[in-house]
Amino acid sequence: MKIQKTLLVIALLLMNSATLFSHHSNDKDMKEKQIKSKTVVFIHGLFMNDQTWNEWKTLFEKEGYTCYTPANPKHEGNPASLRQNPPEGLENVQFQDWITNLETLIDSLPEKPILVGHSFGGLTAQKLVEAGKAEAAILISSVPPKGNITFKLSFLKANNKVISRSKGNTIFNPSDQEYKDWFHYAITNTLSKEKSDELFEQYAVPESRQTPRASLQKIAKIDTKKPHVPLLFIGGLDDVIVPNVLIRKTIKKYKDKDSIVDHKFYEGKDHFICGAPGWEEVAQYSLNWLSN
């Protein structure tokens, strides 16, 4: 009898859990998205620039989208050159500068765009969605809004090197072997060191420490209870710097029952899911989601 009661309680809990999470699934009965925009704005993350989206841009343009890949302030140029000669004033770039830069672009477009953001670009996209600047958003390995945190040691280790207050307002410049090792640990941990170093040379740029610190500040708060455009969260189950537990917490915070929040997690993928080998699968899934 006790066993039967225990099973009944578990079943009820599972039913309640399924009900609470139902509008976050990829269920066929989900409300139709009706995404009409054919304009896409790609938003790069920290330690990267617009170069990370070159192949995505080509793929999306083949499918009839008009694509924009803006560099965030002080991120313009060749990554290797930026590492050797960091732009003057980079250390003063704030999260608000990213937002303002993108709002200026979006307001100049003939229609509200679809936003595709990676990492801190994902958090930026969420802020722009909240401000009514998007038709839909795809959030890849997205930094969570203020209030979502985990105390996993690997997460703390990966982030502390970047946001530590002991570093002041210096530039985080991944120009030496120490930062190549950090890149492999925090960004490309599922890849070989050789492949990680190759991607580092191709994409890594110096970064303002003030920008990522904003994730702990009021500016990174988002009203997740208000109605919003369709959102797709994508993550790698082996992500260290933004572990999937944080992405799942973010998903659950979006409460409006009439708004769409979908998700897709990939086994064996790390934080750089949109630029490492196999990016095509992620990009194609994104395209399918937009058209279905």
Side-chain angles (χ1 to χ4, degrees):
M1 182 63 71
K2 288 184 178 180
I3 294 175
Q4 289 178 333
K5 286 183 178 180
T6 301
L7 291 175
L8 178 60
V9 171
I10 292 172
L12 289 171
L13 288 172
L14 289 173
M15 288 172 65
N16 288 335
S17 175
T19 300
L20 287 170
F21 207 67
S22 62
H23 77 288
H24 300 307
S25 70
N26 292 316
D27 196 288
K28 291 181 180 178
D29 296 328
M30 189 188 308
K31 183 180 175 182
E32 187 177 351
K33 291 191 287 291
Q34 297 181 327
I35 300 171
K36 297 178 181 179
S37 178
K38 297 298 288 185
T39 303
V40 179
V41 174
F42 292 94
I43 309 172
H44 67 78
L46 299 165
F47 328 112
M48 309 273 178
N49 70 1
D50 53 299
Q51 300 296 310
T52 58
W53 293 119
N54 287 344
E55 292 173 303
W56 282 67
K57 183 175 185 289
T58 299
L59 180 63
F60 272 61
E61 286 177 341
K62 287 181 180 178
E63 296 299 323
Y65 290 94
T66 300
C67 298
Y68 297 85
T69 57
N72 286 308
K74 305 292 183 180
H75 288 67
E76 304 89 349
N78 176 269
S81 299
L82 290 172
R83 292 195 300 272
Q84 293 172 4
N85 298 290
E88 183 177 354
L90 172 61
E91 68 277 8
N92 296 319
V93 173
Q94 309 268 350
F95 185 23
Q96 184 60 55
D97 297 322
W98 285 37
I99 297 170
T100 301
N101 184 56
L102 286 158
E103 285 182 333
T104 300
L105 169 62
I106 291 170
D107 289 345
S108 73
L109 301 177
E111 62 180 351
K112 287 185 180 181
I114 298 158
L115 303 178
V116 181
H118 172 243
S119 191
F120 212 83
L123 175 59
T124 309
Q126 290 179 72
K127 290 293 293 182
L128 294 168
V129 166
E130 181 188 38
K133 300 291 186 180
E135 174 85 357
I138 298 172
L139 312 159
I140 305 170
S141 307
S142 181
V143 168
K146 184 181 185 297
N148 279 11
I149 193 168
T150 178
F151 294 100
K152 290 184 65 173
L153 182 59
S154 57
F155 165 78
L156 297 173
K157 181 179 177 182
N159 282 278
N160 186 61
K161 186 176 283 292
V162 180
I163 66 174
S164 173
R165 287 292 179 183
S166 67
K167 301 292 186 179
N169 288 339
T170 58
I171 293 170
F172 183 88
N173 190 358
S175 60
D176 58 27
Q177 187 59 48
E178 177 188 358
Y179 290 121
K180 278 189 177 181
D181 292 342
W182 170 85
F183 188 86
H184 186 222
Y185 176 81
I187 309 295
T188 55
N189 51 287
T190 65
L191 305 178
S192 68
K193 185 60 165 58
E194 180 181 16
K195 185 61 180 179
S196 176
D197 287 353
E198 178 185 323
L199 292 172
F200 176 95
E201 294 291 346
Q202 186 174 359
Y203 294 120
V205 305
E207 190 60 72
S208 165
R209 294 182 190 273
Q210 295 200 59
T211 308
R213 285 173 185 158
S215 63
L216 304 175
Q217 301 166 2
K218 185 177 180 180
I219 191 175
K221 289 191 69 174
I222 293 175
D223 183 358
T224 52
K225 295 180 180 179
K226 65 186 290 188
H228 55 80
V229 298
L231 304 177
L232 170 63
F233 284 87
I234 295 177
L237 292 179
D238 291 321
D239 193 337
V240 170
I241 199 166
V242 183
N244 70 89
V245 64
L246 288 181
I247 298 176
R248 293 181 191 276
K249 285 182 179 180
T250 301
I251 291 169
K252 289 181 180 180
K253 283 183 176 293
Y254 280 93
K255 299 294 188 182
D256 184 67
K257 62 182 179 61
D258 295 318
S259 299
I260 294 171
V261 184
D262 288 345
H263 64 277
K264 174 70 173 178
F265 292 98
Y266 288 87
E267 292 185 4
K269 296 287 188 182
D270 54 37
H271 190 65
F272 199 33
I273 191 172
C274 61
W279 66 267
E280 298 92 341
E281 180 183 1
V282 182
Q284 190 59 57
Y285 186 91
S286 301
L287 282 167
N288 294 344
W289 180 82
L290 290 171
S291 60
N292 290 336

